Amino acid sequence: MGSQDQPFTFDALSEAMQQRAAGEYIAPESTLPDVVANLSYDQHRAIRFRPEQALWRAEPGEFHLQAFYPGWVFKDTTRIFIGTDGVYRQHVFDASDFEYRPPLDPSQFQSLDVDGVAGFRIHAPLQRPDYFDELVTFLGASYFRALGTGTRYGLSARGLAINTATSETEEFPRFAAFYIDPPQPSDGSIRIMAELHSPSLAGAYLFVITPGHTTTIETTCRLYPRTDITRLGIAPLTSMYFFGENDHSDHEDFRPEVHDSDGLYLVRATGEELWRPLNNPETLALSYFQETNPRAFGLLQRDRNFANYQDTEARYDLRPSLLIEPIGDWGSGIVELVEIPTDSEVNDNIVAFWVPETKVVAGTPLEFKYRMHWGLGVQNPTLMARVSGTYVGVGGNAAEANDNPSSRRFAINFTGGTIHNLPDDAKIDPQIDLPSNARLLNSSLSRLPDGGWRLSLEIEREDSQPVELRVKLSMLQRIVSETWLYQWTSTT
């Protein structure tokens, strides 16, 4: 939109995006010099922002900003505008703001203007007051990632998902410009506005980012469709699940588990909590959870035990969980979970988002508000026991050859909550719901050494269709655990 000479507000940005959506979509034109546009992966990695050039570094605030150089896959650049008293002007980064390491020749870049950048990251003192850690990164399309205290980058969020896992061509909207308020010394949050561009719509976003043990990003998005959209994904999350405790890997890997997230967590409007362990399926798997005004949903990394990963470099045990807390009336819709087959941990193969029931039609604006929680522990305390592990294997007697290939054994560990304090002979009643294409062969409940409880199930399937399992624990006719869900396919 260019520099603003008049005070500029989020309402003004929203109005501008609505006007943009009334016209035809104009695809971005790459204006990068060949030496930048043709950078390889390794060459692009050799260009680093100089920390001493960070915006606001010389000021007494709690936030610094560094930019990412364009090139490689980041050919569609974004522009950064910095505000003063509500007036935003573009900050143009100088070639000298970056360091060009071998094998690059720095002289090829010293005279180049950096009108747009690939993205940026905000630093803040997360671990200690005298060091500015990475807090949040906006890089590529509408992707961004954030950290809480003690975490390492893992899953990502997106501004929007359009036609993901449909027969329609998927769109990847991009943040084309950011409008950032310089932090004041007393500010505990940083405020960022962004304009979103895509063939099907235009959007205005407002992010208020507050670092902490759990970092929060309060988000407002206003969307202006220029066409009808088959499936609109609100607050989309993107993660990686390669293998874990519930699906044994076919790869010869010394690590017991490899994943950024291990389950989808959902809190219904009634307060019921659902836990659905993730899978790496052999074919595309879609799961739908019909809800009205859910309290929260997200992709979590519950397993925090290093011994279960044994990866000293990736530290999957420190990957953040991300919980979406809807604000206001979201109405009816579905939380959709997409699980995509992958043979490598470098591929993000898990997507989750909210799909509103209301049809998305051209010319009808939409607004959603939500709060994002990034950190090691993002769930509220509860008196309910939660699922701490799901283990799946062949059915039958483990000491004998399994003569029933259609059966499967499931062991579900429940820990915490009020049932932690019960004696070993307490009467706990499992509530087991099976679909018509499966039957329960046997079940048992036993005490775990750490004070939790294990429910063991042996189930037989009657056809090749997916089996949707549902289990929770009750006592004295009261529910005492969250609800465990599982999709058993013919290949798992």
Side-chain angles (χ1 to χ4, degrees):
M1 290 183 57
S3 297
Q4 305 297 319
D5 294 325
Q6 300 295 324
F8 190 57
T9 64
F10 183 54
D11 287 339
L13 175 62
S14 303
E15 183 179 349
M17 292 300 99
Q18 187 169 21
Q19 292 174 357
R20 182 181 291 275
E24 293 185 4
Y25 174 70
I26 301 175
E29 295 183 6
S30 178
T31 58
L32 298 179
D34 288 345
V35 67
V36 176
N38 297 326
L39 288 170
S40 68
Y41 169 78
D42 289 329
Q43 290 172 328
H44 188 257
R45 280 178 54 87
I47 303 177
R48 303 291 181 89
F49 193 89
R50 298 181 185 274
E52 65 272 16
Q53 298 298 106
L55 271 64
W56 316 309
R57 183 179 178 88
E59 300 172 16
E62 295 292 305
F63 302 94
H64 296 165
L65 184 149
Q66 299 183 15
F68 291 100
Y69 202 83
W72 185 44
V73 298
F74 305 110
K75 294 180 174 60
D76 295 335
T77 58
T78 189
R79 293 176 296 164
I80 296 175
F81 297 83
I82 304 300
T84 301
D85 297 326
V87 177
Y88 295 83
R89 292 185 172 86
Q90 184 178 359
H91 182 92
V92 178
F93 292 89
D94 190 83
S96 62
D97 290 331
F98 299 88
E99 178 183 3
Y100 308 90
R101 302 179 178 183
L104 297 176
D105 178 2
S107 65
Q108 291 185 298
F109 302 89
Q110 289 172 354
S111 62
L112 298 180
D113 292 329
V114 190
D115 180 57
V117 294
F120 66 95
R121 58 190 179 190
I122 300 292
H123 291 235
L126 271 178
Q127 314 292 342
R128 40 189 270 193
D130 60 343
Y131 183 82
F132 280 66
D133 305 276
E134 283 194 49
L135 171 67
V136 62
T137 293
F138 289 86
L139 180 63
S142 67
Y143 286 88
F144 59 100
R145 301 188 295 175
L147 295 170
T149 303
T151 59
R152 295 191 181 184
Y153 278 137
L155 80 169
S156 301
R158 279 191 276 169
L160 202 64
I162 298 179
N163 293 334
T164 300
T166 69
S167 59
E168 305 289 333
T169 300
E170 183 172 6
E171 292 181 21
F172 292 89
R174 69 185 187 95
F175 289 130
F178 293 89
Y179 303 85
I180 305 176
D181 294 336
Q184 302 303 308
S186 60
D187 288 348
S189 303
I190 186 167
R191 182 178 183 272
I192 299 173
M193 298 186 295
E195 52 184 79
L196 184 96
H197 296 181
S198 195
S200 295
L201 54 71
Y205 280 70
L206 173 61
F207 303 102
V208 180
I209 305 169
T210 306
H213 182 73
T214 297
T215 290
T216 63
I217 303 180
E218 190 158 318
T219 305
T220 302
C221 67
R222 295 173 178 172
L223 307 173
Y224 304 98
R226 60 166 57 90
T227 66
D228 297 351
I229 298 175
T230 301
R231 184 173 300 163
L232 188 68
I234 304 299
L237 317 179
T238 303
S239 191
M240 180 276 294
Y241 182 91
F242 190 21
F243 60 87
E245 62 199 20
N246 53 297
D247 57 350
H248 300 226
S249 172
D250 293 331
H251 301 272
E252 293 185 0
D253 198 307
F254 73 92
R255 300 167 298 179
E257 302 183 38
V258 174
H259 49 74
D260 286 336
S261 307
D262 54 9
L264 172 73
Y265 174 67
L266 172 61
V267 184
R268 311 190 71 187
T270 60
E272 181 185 9
E273 300 180 40
L274 309 180
W275 177 252
R276 162 67 154 78
L278 298 178
N279 289 292
N280 180 3
E282 291 193 3
T283 59
L284 177 68
L286 305 177
S287 298
Y288 306 96
F289 305 89
Q290 183 75 40
E291 301 295 331
T292 298
N293 287 320
R295 296 187 187 181
F297 68 92
L299 294 174
L300 308 189
Q301 184 79 312
R302 274 191 175 172
D303 191 341
R304 296 297 177 188
N305 187 347
F306 169 79
N308 292 337
Y309 300 96
Q310 294 294 335
D311 195 322
T312 57
E313 296 180 3
R315 292 305 304 270
Y316 289 111
D317 54 307
L318 299 180
R319 301 299 172 101
S321 296
L322 173 52
L323 188 68
I324 303 296
E325 176 193 353
I327 299 174
D329 184 2
W330 277 31
S332 298
I334 60 173
V335 174
E336 181 171 347
L337 174 66
V338 181
E339 296 168 303
I340 305 168
T342 184
D343 58 3
S344 171
E345 65 194 276
V346 303
N347 299 320
D348 282 343
N349 64 318
I350 303 296
V351 186
F353 47 78
W354 171 258
V355 181
E357 183 179 74
T358 304
K359 299 297 182 183
V360 181
V361 297
T364 302
L366 299 166
E367 177 175 312
F368 293 89
K369 295 183 179 181
Y370 52 94
R371 190 174 292 111
M372 313 177 79
H373 302 269
W374 305 73
L376 293 173
V378 297
Q379 299 166 277
N380 291 327
T382 179
L383 297 178
M384 296 287 181
R386 284 177 168 151
V387 176
S388 59
T390 299
Y391 305 89
V392 183
V394 297
N397 189 332
E400 301 174 358
N402 179 29
D403 58 358
N404 187 357
S406 297
S407 70
R408 215 76 175 149
R409 184 177 297 279
F410 298 86
I412 309 136
N413 291 354
F414 292 89
T415 59
T418 55
I419 63 173
H420 177 84
N421 303 316
L422 292 173
D424 292 353
D425 59 352
K427 178 61 176 175
I428 299 176
D429 300 311
Q431 296 189 7
I432 304 167
D433 294 327
L434 300 181
S436 59
N437 63 336
R439 66 187 185 97
L440 181 66
L441 299 180
N442 57 69
S443 68
S444 62
L445 188 69
S446 57
R447 192 72 165 179
L448 291 169
D450 62 1
W453 297 83
R454 168 170 291 180
L455 177 63
S456 296
L457 309 173
E458 185 176 4
I459 298 173
E460 182 180 54
R461 63 185 311 132
E462 299 183 353
D463 56 32
S464 61
Q465 297 302 307
V467 176
E468 298 288 349
L469 308 175
R470 184 183 183 94
V471 168
K472 53 190 172 184
L473 304 181
S474 68
M475 184 178 187
L476 302 176
Q477 299 184 332
R478 297 196 303 270
I479 302 302
V480 293
S481 77
E482 67 182 3
T483 301
W484 173 86
L485 307 173
Y486 200 83
Q487 186 182 74
W488 173 22
T489 66
S490 58
T491 57
T492 60

